[in-house]
Amino acid sequence: SVEDERNSFEAKFESQTQYIRNLELKLMERFDEEGQERREVERKLVLFIDEKYSLLKNELSRESKNRNESLENFSFYLEVIKN
């Protein structure tokens, strides 16, 4: 009957609508997961870069200090030899 066909159509439509909602939900969950993973990777990369920057900055500072001390020692040595 027409009523049975209408009920069948509505049931199929509701089933398909629910399936699409579930797909949308899974898709949004996946996007959220990927966004969180991306933010975590970005955070780790920033920490890594900051750590390497600090190490290089400290190394350059030590090298600069050593260079200055060497120049001072050399200047002192030249003064001693000169006198």
Side-chain angles (χ1 to χ4, degrees), residues 29-43:
E29 287 173 353
R30 183 64 184 147
F31 285 155
D32 288 343
E33 288 172 7
E34 287 179 359
Q36 290 172 359
E37 290 171 4
R38 186 185 70 248
R39 286 187 294 277
E40 181 64 18
V41 167
E42 288 171 354
R43 185 187 69 79

Side-chain angles (χ1 to χ4, degrees), residues 39-55:
R39 286 187 294 277
E40 181 64 18
V41 167
E42 288 171 354
R43 185 187 69 79
K44 288 179 180 179
L45 284 173
V46 167
L47 288 174
F48 177 78
I49 290 169
D50 285 347
E51 180 183 340
K52 294 301 177 187
Y53 172 79
S54 293
L55 289 172

Side-chain angles (χ1 to χ4, degrees), residues 17-30:
T17 301
Q18 188 60 40
Y19 177 76
I20 291 171
R21 282 188 203 126
N22 289 339
L23 284 178
E24 286 178 335
L25 181 61
K26 288 179 183 178
L27 187 61
M28 294 307 291
E29 287 173 353
R30 183 64 184 147

